[in-house]
Structures are given as C-alpha cells and as structure tokens.
C-alpha cells in the first residue's frame, strides 16, 4: 500500500546481460568496424572489472580501428594514429603472451608511412612473447665518457 492507502504495484523487469564484446563482434560481422570500435572504445569501466579484461577490450578495439578505412591525409589520420597508440599502450603491457597488440600497432605505423618503426614494434612484440622467438640482436654500447672538471664550464 502507498502512503495514502492506495494499492501499489511493483513491477520488476530484467534485461538479458549485455555483452559488449559480442555486440562489437556482431557489428564487425555486419561490416561496421567503426561501430564495433566505438562500442568498445567508449565502454564504461564497470564492464571491465580488472586490468586484464580492460587490456583485452582495448586490443579488440585496436583491431576494429585497424579495419576502418584509413584517411588519406588531414587531421583524422593523426588522430587515428594517436588513438591506436593509446589502445596499444592500454593492451600490450597486460597481455605479455600476445603479439597481437604489436602486430596491429605495427600496421598503423606502416600506414602512417613509418615502416621501420612498424618493424621495430613487431620485433619488440616477438621478443616479449615466448611463442614467437626472434633472432638475438647484438647491442654494444661504449661506456660513457667520464665527467670531470675539464668538461664542466
């Protein structure tokens, strides 16, 4: 009963659980990579309760972003690259066994016209993942020159 004595009804409704990753995958299957990317990129934090799940979502969003046709020039191109960089940085550290973040970001580098950076990113990903070994790189560094009174002015 309500406070004024009138009968009160309580109606309860429950929606099926929302799965944003499945939603994004459906959009991608429909040929809408921009929608798939947006679903995951703008996903509220409560759908990703831990760092690993946030990294997986960031990686999927990065891969969907890669599927969106690349702008040929203008500010959209750099904005897209910056977004890709953010998604890469949000996924790679928490997915150490996966080379997927490195491979996807390498493609962005190549699309921007920096193929040598793309290759370095791929090599880094390969060296981080035991599933994809890379040839060892010989790095030699000379010891730094001593700093003495003659070098300080």
């Amino acid at each position: 009963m309500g406070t004024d004595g009138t009968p009160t009804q309580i109606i309860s409704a429950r929606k099926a659980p929302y799965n944003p990753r499945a939603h994004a995958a459906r959009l991608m299957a429909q040929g809408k990579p921009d929608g798939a990317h947006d679903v995951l990129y703008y996903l509220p934090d409560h759908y990703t309760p831990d760092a690993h799940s946030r990294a997986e979502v960031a990686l999927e969003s990065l891969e969907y972003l890669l599927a969106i046709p690349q702008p040929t020039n203008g500010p959209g191109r750099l904005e897209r690259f910056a977004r890709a960089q953010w998604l890469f940085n949000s996924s790679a550290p928490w997915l150490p066994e996966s080379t997927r973040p490195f491979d996807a970001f390498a493609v962005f580098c190549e699309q921007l016209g920096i193929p040598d950076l793309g290759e370095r990113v791929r090599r880094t990903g390969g060296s981080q993942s035991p599933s994809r070994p890379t040839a060892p790189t010989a790095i030699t560094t000379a010891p730094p020159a001593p700093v003495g009174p003659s070098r300080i002015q």
Side-chain angles (χ1 to χ4, degrees), residues 6-143:
T6 59
T8 304
Q9 291 183 346
I10 297 176
I11 299 174
S12 176
R14 184 172 179 267
K15 257 178 107 168
Y18 175 63
N19 183 335
R21 293 170 78 184
H23 180 199
R26 281 192 307 274
L27 288 169
M28 188 65 184
Q30 295 169 1
K32 300 176 182 174
D34 51 340
H37 165 71
D38 286 350
V39 163
L40 298 181
Y41 188 75
Y42 296 109
L43 188 66
D45 288 340
H46 68 272
Y47 284 103
T48 53
D50 57 66
H52 190 268
S53 62
R54 281 189 295 276
E56 288 177 336
V57 166
L59 174 57
E60 287 180 37
S61 185
L62 176 64
E63 291 172 334
Y64 293 142
L65 181 62
L66 187 58
I68 299 170
Q70 170 74 23
T72 56
N73 57 22
R77 189 169 169 215
L78 290 178
E79 178 185 336
R80 183 171 185 242
F81 183 75
R83 184 175 286 196
Q85 197 170 24
W86 185 84
L87 290 167
F88 170 76
N89 290 333
S90 298
S91 61
W94 289 271
L95 302 171
E97 299 295 318
S98 179
T99 59
R100 286 172 49 204
F102 295 91
D103 292 335
F105 190 66
V107 172
F108 278 101
C109 295
E110 291 160 358
Q111 287 179 349
L112 199 60
I114 319 169
D116 55 328
L117 178 58
E119 183 53 38
R120 287 194 307 264
V121 169
R122 278 197 180 91
R123 277 197 313 267
T124 301
S127 68
Q128 299 297 317
S129 173
S131 64
R132 183 164 73 169
T134 57
T137 304
I139 300 175
T140 58
T141 57

